[in-house]
Amino acid sequence: MVMTTNTMSTTGATQTTAVRHTINNHSQTRLDFAKAAPKAFRALIGFDAAARQGLDPALVELIQIRASHLNHCAYCLHMHTNDARKAGESEDRLHMVAVWREARHFFTEKECAALALTEAVTLVADGGVPDDVYAQAAAHFGDEELAQVLALIFTINTWNRIALSTAKVAGTDQRK
């Protein structure tokens, strides 16, 4: 087993903030982002809460699930599929999110527009956000709601990156 320790120096003192995870049979120590950067973590929680305001909870989970698929974030995917189930989402729809283009009849046109926008923003480096994708989303969402959807896409992508960078393990979510 390989063990690494992340340390940071603050005014001459050395502080270690780490979490041990076993990944692919290797032990790795990664920092606990919430403890190591509490102001940034709280700011992101606030941004996430603000992004969700006024959005349909089912749409929120669909967006978060799709971005988590694309980012290969098992931790967030597990969390948001469970949240969606608790909110009454059907198993059929949850199974179809990853292949929504081939299973459009499971989703409303508005949800499809949000899923397409989620893909474009999440994979922005692959070619930006195409005008037709943006126009389709704008046709289904007013300016304020579209801004909320975009903000939600930004936050889930940030959460995915935090979970992946810190080796969060699917099934270990301890939210209340």
Side-chain angles (χ1 to χ4, degrees), residues 60-140:
V60 168
E61 296 306 332
L62 292 175
I63 289 168
Q64 293 180 123
I65 289 166
R66 188 62 189 129
S68 297
H69 282 143
L70 295 169
N71 287 319
H72 303 273
C73 184
Y75 179 84
C76 293
L77 183 58
H78 182 267
M79 178 191 313
H80 293 296
T81 54
N82 281 340
D83 288 350
R85 281 183 194 95
K86 289 175 190 170
E89 189 59 76
S90 75
E91 288 298 318
D92 281 344
R93 282 174 39 103
L94 290 176
H95 292 298
M96 294 297 120
V97 174
V99 293
W100 68 271
R101 290 180 193 281
E102 291 79 26
R104 289 177 179 266
H105 60 285
F106 283 93
F107 306 99
T108 67
E109 286 185 29
K110 187 174 185 175
E111 290 168 337
C112 288
L115 290 168
L117 185 63
T118 300
E119 290 177 356
V121 173
T122 300
L123 302 172
V124 72
D126 291 347
V129 177
D131 289 340
D132 63 323
V133 171
Y134 187 89
Q136 187 67 21
H140 289 282

